[in-house]
Amino acid sequence: MPYTLDTQEVDTARRSFTRGIVALGGLAIAPGVVLYHSAEAKPANQPVSGKQRWGMLVNTNVCQEDCDACVTACNEENGLWSLDRPATDAQWIRKLHVKDRQTGHVTSLPMMCQHCEHPPCVDVCPTGASFRREDGIVLVNKHTCIGCRYCMMACPYKARSFIHEPLQDQLPHSPRGKGCVESCTLCVHKVDRGDNNTACAEACTKDGHQALVFGDLNDPDSEISKQLKRHGGSQIRADLGLNTGVRYQGI
Amino acid sequence: MAELKQSMLVSRIAHSRFLWLAVIMVTCVSMIRVFAGSPENIPPPKGKYSEDTVCVEPVEIMRRRHFEYILDHRDKTVIEGIRTKQYSLIGCIDCHITPNERGEYARYSEETHFCASCHLFTAVTIDCFQCHADRPEEAVRTTLDLSGTTAWFLREVHERLQLDVLVQ
């Protein structure tokens, strides 16, 4: 059957009436009423959307030099069991200590995938395995990763690890294996579950430092957005124009 | 003469129908024992998916098409973040991999593992479990708590393998 153009006439009166009703409704709830912004999990059968952009704020002023609770929590949460070979063990988050030679001041900060808006790892991936989810989380689709490691070279943050040997005892929510590249997933399984937090941020808060705040950068009422608006937060290597989802204070 | 008698005896044995029948029967029984993973040794699933269906789809359909459902679901989960339970691999494992009477969970390398039992029989090679957990989370965690030496064991195996290569 040939395609036919739908030439139904538009009922303009009906359309303007609907518009009027919507406008009236808007006027009615506008004064003094703030629509409750739900932080609930999306329904499991719905795809993620660009309405959220998940990010992290690191306050290096309160990050303790001798603490690595975030690293331990990440390893435990994602089953990154060490093979006791530090040179090749996977690390999704690591602690850095940066010393200002002039003043001698040491800044301690966690470094992980910065979940860029324009991720270089995605640009260079030959198979499309490196990708940015609609909600801003940068991931590796290990089903399509061929282990070429271009992304590791492209990443300015040295955030990715390659798995060199067969693994065992992986956790169900965190499949990992030989021949694939991996990095911080911003605890995507927790985000999808509606936990609204990551393992590292939870551990930091539990230890009473509160140096890590996870949240939705697109939601002006979220804690992370409020703090960023009030105190600001810088990107590491902002000159690259990647618009990172992880922001730092105090550097 | 003696040689002729011997060869006649050999051919008589070779042509004996009963002997061949016996050989075939023994082979069949041992094949079934080796490959079928004797279903009575596979612990039953945790429960039913719903009131109407035992599994997420009728069993006959699942036997033929489970991989299509899983393949379709995996892309939706990884790329779009859709986390419905019906066709998720974690869901399959959670329900089907249950402890035996000694409280042990089978691994994919064992023939009593629900997936392995059939894959062995049908000579199917999959690589799902190189990365994905072949047991529910509680089983993985128990193993880790019990030994804590998994990493050590792996390292030992790895080093010994390397050593063997060198020796050869």
Side-chain angles (χ1 to χ4, degrees):
Chain A
M1 206 180 112
Y3 291 103
T4 49
L5 277 175
D6 190 1
T7 50
Q8 231 178 8
E9 275 191 29
V10 177
D11 187 349
T12 44
R14 188 191 166 107
R15 191 170 270 185
S16 61
F17 174 74
T18 320
R19 237 179 243 151
I21 292 289
V22 171
L24 265 178
L27 275 177
I29 58 165
V33 180
V34 179
L35 283 173
Y36 176 65
H37 194 284
S38 164
E40 279 172 28
K42 67 161 183 65
N45 62 356
Q46 293 300 309
V48 291
S49 74
K51 278 182 205 149
Q52 281 96 20
R53 188 184 174 200
W54 301 112
M56 178 91 79
L57 177 61
V58 183
N59 186 352
T60 62
N61 296 314
V62 288
C63 181
Q64 302 296 309
E65 203 182 328
D66 54 354
C67 171
D68 64 351
C70 51
V71 181
T72 316
C74 177
N75 293 348
E76 182 64 23
E77 177 70 30
N78 296 293
L80 312 183
W81 323 124
S82 168
L83 294 163
D84 221 3
R85 276 187 281 280
T88 51
D89 275 348
Q91 53 176 14
W92 292 9
I93 181 170
R94 63 189 194 276
K95 281 295 294 282
L96 294 183
H97 306 288
V98 189
K99 191 174 181 182
D100 185 334
R101 288 209 188 105
Q102 183 65 41
T103 60
H105 176 73
V106 176
T107 309
S108 179
L109 58 103
M111 172 58 69
M112 66 288 225
C113 172
Q114 303 285 297
H115 298 280
C116 313
E117 190 189 349
H118 310 292
C121 54
V122 174
D123 289 344
V124 300
C125 180
T127 64
S130 240
F131 71 104
R132 184 177 174 277
R133 227 166 69 141
E134 284 289 299
D135 58 0
I137 302 180
V138 176
L139 294 172
V140 181
N141 184 347
K142 289 170 189 173
H143 302 115
T144 32
C145 176
I146 55 170
C148 72
R149 290 164 265 179
Y150 282 180
C151 55
M152 290 177 71
M153 284 181 267
C155 177
Y157 307 102
K158 227 179 165 180
R160 289 201 161 168
S161 299
F162 180 71
I163 304 305
H164 294 262
E165 43 199 317
L167 300 180
Q168 274 191 359
D169 297 327
Q170 294 94 326
L171 295 175
H173 58 256
S174 174
R176 317 166 52 230
K178 181 184 168 184
C180 279
V181 169
E182 56 184 39
S183 60
C184 160
T185 62
L186 221 51
C187 281
V188 68
H189 58 285
K190 282 167 72 70
V191 171
D192 286 347
R193 200 161 64 198
D195 285 13
N196 222 19
N197 213 346
T198 61
C200 54
E202 276 171 4
C204 192
T205 308
K206 198 177 158 203
D207 274 24
H209 304 313
Q210 294 186 317
L212 296 173
V213 179
F214 170 84
D216 181 5
L217 297 167
N218 281 353
D219 173 12
D221 297 323
S222 68
E223 180 64 21
I224 187 171
S225 297
K226 282 184 196 161
Q227 285 205 26
L228 276 168
K229 191 169 184 196
R230 197 176 307 139
H231 305 295
S234 49
Q235 306 175 52
I236 293 180
R237 291 300 305 271
D239 56 315
L240 297 172
L242 305 175
N243 188 11
T244 59
V246 179
R247 301 294 175 107
Y248 290 82
Q249 286 175 341
I251 55 168
Chain B
M1 275 307 277
E3 270 181 18
L4 191 67
K5 261 188 185 171
Q6 208 177 3
S7 70
M8 275 177 72
L9 188 70
V10 169
S11 78
R12 211 175 261 178
I13 290 172
H15 285 99
S16 152
R17 278 182 207 165
F18 289 111
L19 188 77
W20 283 117
L21 202 64
V23 168
I24 290 169
M25 277 180 73
V26 167
T27 319
C28 282
V29 168
S30 57
M31 290 265 281
I32 288 166
R33 286 203 128 186
V34 170
F35 293 118
S38 33
E40 67 268 22
N41 290 341
I42 301 170
K46 229 179 235 173
K48 288 166 76 175
Y49 178 67
S50 69
E51 285 298 313
D52 315 319
T53 49
V54 181
C55 199
V56 298
E57 292 286 343
V59 174
E60 284 310 311
I61 297 179
M62 284 310 284
R63 278 190 187 145
R64 284 180 179 278
R65 314 191 69 159
H66 61 279
F67 44 90
E68 289 171 24
Y69 294 133
I70 297 172
L71 194 68
D72 185 47
H73 188 77
R74 85 171 195 198
D75 290 337
K76 284 185 184 151
T77 304
V78 176
I79 298 164
E80 297 174 37
I82 291 173
R83 301 261 184 183
T84 44
K85 296 268 163 66
Q86 191 173 11
Y87 301 124
S88 92
L89 183 61
I90 294 182
C92 303
I93 295 294
D94 269 350
C95 189
H96 279 288
I97 310 304
T98 49
N100 62 15
E101 64 277 7
R102 290 191 298 282
E104 298 159 346
Y105 291 83
R107 311 197 64 144
Y108 186 70
S109 52
E110 294 163 46
E111 64 188 33
T112 48
H113 186 277
F114 176 77
C115 306
S117 64
C118 202
H119 291 163
L120 274 171
F121 184 70
T122 49
V124 169
T125 309
I126 58 156
D127 48 18
C128 306
F129 299 113
Q130 285 174 15
C131 293
H132 285 276
D134 54 2
R135 296 162 298 160
E137 178 154 1
E138 66 264 19
V140 180
R141 294 259 182 214
T142 323
T143 317
L144 291 165
D145 291 346
L146 266 180
S147 60
T149 50
T150 319
W152 169 84
F153 177 71
L154 271 176
R155 194 168 63 242
E156 283 294 303
V157 170
H158 189 79
E159 274 165 15
R160 269 159 213 227
L161 281 175
Q162 274 185 335
L163 197 70
D164 284 348
V165 171
L166 284 177
V167 168
Q168 279 164 7

